[in-house]
Amino acid sequence: SMQMSSPPLEFRALRRFFNSFRPLFLDIELKVPPTPLLIEQIRGTRGAAGERMVVSSFDPAHLRQVEADAPAWERWLNVEAGDPVAAARAARCQGVAVALPLLCRQLFHEAALHKIRVAAWTVRTERDVARLGSESLYAVCGEGEGLSKMLVSR
């Protein structure tokens, strides 16, 4: 555990952010490798079990680092091409977040077979909402018109 007397300003802001959204489910998407200080800040607000959150990334190496530092935290691999379930399994992730064009019955079948949660991104239009169908999505990332339509139609 890293000890600091006074965290840098950006980490104090991050702690306030996590604390203010405590009741919400967060997808913390890593664009860069996680630092020990970031892991500590998340652990300090979401606990060792990572309550009401997942950590996601397009980079399996970032997720392997999270697994090493915080093995109880749920990890989702973000995938926009190829075989999402195989990629998530290879990265030892509990979930896969896929681009909308990858959604299909086969994906849901394989995910269920391997106990991998499926999320979809990014729903922007009414047409995108229709594409979601009735399959068992665990989470959906939406914005604008698509988010409004999802809230009304679900």
Side-chain angles (χ1 to χ4, degrees):
S1 169
M2 197 170 169
Q3 297 295 322
M4 293 185 72
S5 58
S6 178
L9 180 61
E10 62 268 17
F11 286 103
R12 289 192 302 245
L14 184 62
R15 184 183 307 135
R16 279 195 304 278
F17 172 80
F18 286 139
N19 282 331
S20 64
F21 291 101
R22 186 172 292 280
L24 296 179
F25 182 86
L26 292 179
D27 172 2
I28 302 168
E29 183 177 344
L30 299 176
K31 305 281 188 180
V32 297
T35 64
L37 188 54
L38 176 63
I39 298 292
E40 282 301 313
Q41 291 297 313
I42 297 169
R43 188 178 285 122
T45 57
R46 292 292 169 145
E51 299 167 23
R52 301 191 51 71
M53 63 166 255
V54 299
V55 178
S56 69
S57 181
F58 284 92
D59 190 331
H62 298 349
L63 297 170
R64 282 192 293 276
Q65 184 62 51
V66 171
E67 181 182 23
D69 294 341
W73 293 358
E74 189 164 334
R75 297 169 311 283
W76 291 358
L77 184 64
N78 298 334
V79 178
E80 55 189 334
D83 184 339
V85 173
R89 290 183 67 214
R92 295 195 306 270
C93 290
Q94 297 85 2
V96 62
V98 301
L100 285 176
L102 295 180
L103 288 179
C104 65
R105 289 196 194 289
Q106 183 64 27
L107 169 67
F108 287 101
H109 173 75
E110 289 179 22
L113 186 66
H114 296 288
K115 297 182 169 101
I116 291 178
R117 296 177 192 209
V118 177
W121 51 269
T122 297
V123 175
R124 293 185 175 96
T125 66
E126 188 169 356
R127 184 174 165 207
D128 292 343
V129 174
R131 182 176 204 136
L132 297 177
S134 60
E135 300 293 344
S136 299
L137 281 169
Y138 186 78
V140 177
C141 174
E143 62 184 39
E145 175 193 355
L147 183 58
S148 299
K149 295 290 183 189
M150 275 191 305
L151 294 173
V152 170
S153 67
R154 295 275 166 171

